């Protein structure tokens, strides 16, 4: 996202029409080839890992917050990825003019960095607090005995 933000700033601040058109064409490729697939992979792997680890998907509030932030950020990314395409088209066809979409891309990239920082902070800090669903005893814990029973699967 830092490269995306730097490129969006370059496109916003540059006066050279060729650089501007090239920057937004580059951003359009980066968002669809790199950022969107990685965001979807991040969401899917986060759900999968939470299901097979001690943290669980719904046992801790921080995991639920991370899931909500990641899912929300992924949905917003898919919605705002079209803005990148529109900006690339506008900047390629219009020479010498600025577009309000340029500023929006810088804002979107900066906001995405804030969300990524919050997700990383939650993963690092792992604040305490169990959800109501975690208070039930688990009937399985990685093949170990719980309440005198051994899970068969």
């Amino acid at each position: 996202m830092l490269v995306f933000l730097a490129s969006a700033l370059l496109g916003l601040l540059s006066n050279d029409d060729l650089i501007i058109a090239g920057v937004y064409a580059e951003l359009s490729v980066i968002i669809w080839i790199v950022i969107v697939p990685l965001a979807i992979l991040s969401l899917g792997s986060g759900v999968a890992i939470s299901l097979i680890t001690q943290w669980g998907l719904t046992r801790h509030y921080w995991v639920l917050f991370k899931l909500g932030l990641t899912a929300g950020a992924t949905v917003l990314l898919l919605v705002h990825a079209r803005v990148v395409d529109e900006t690339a088209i506008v900047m390629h066809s219009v020479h010498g003019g600025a577009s309000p979409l340029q500023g929006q891309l810088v804002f979107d990239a900066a906001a995405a960095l804030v969300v990524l920082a919050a997700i990383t902070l939650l993963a690092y800090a792992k604040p305490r607090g169990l959800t109501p669903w975690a208070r039930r005893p688990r009937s399985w814990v990685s093949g170990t005995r719980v309440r005198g029973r051994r899970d068969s699967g």
Side-chain angles (χ1 to χ4, degrees), residues 9 18 26 32 58 102 104-105 127:
L9 278 169
L18 289 176
E26 168 212 3
W32 289 110
T58 59
Q102 291 174 286
Q104 183 179 352
L105 286 181

Side-chain angles (χ1 to χ4, degrees), residues 8 17 22 28 110 125 133:
D17 292 340
S28 183
W133 304 287

Side-chain angles (χ1 to χ4, degrees), residues 11-34:
L12 180 66
L13 301 175
S14 180
N15 293 325
D16 187 347
D17 292 340
L18 289 176
I19 290 176
I20 292 171
V23 162
Y24 291 107
E26 168 212 3
L27 291 179
S28 183
V29 170
I30 287 173
I31 200 159
W32 289 110
I33 302 298
V34 178

Side-chain angles (χ1 to χ4, degrees), residues 116-135:
L116 288 174
I119 290 170
T120 303
L121 181 65
L122 282 172
Y124 178 75
K126 294 177 182 55
R128 292 184 181 195
L130 297 174
T131 65
W133 304 287
R135 293 194 173 87

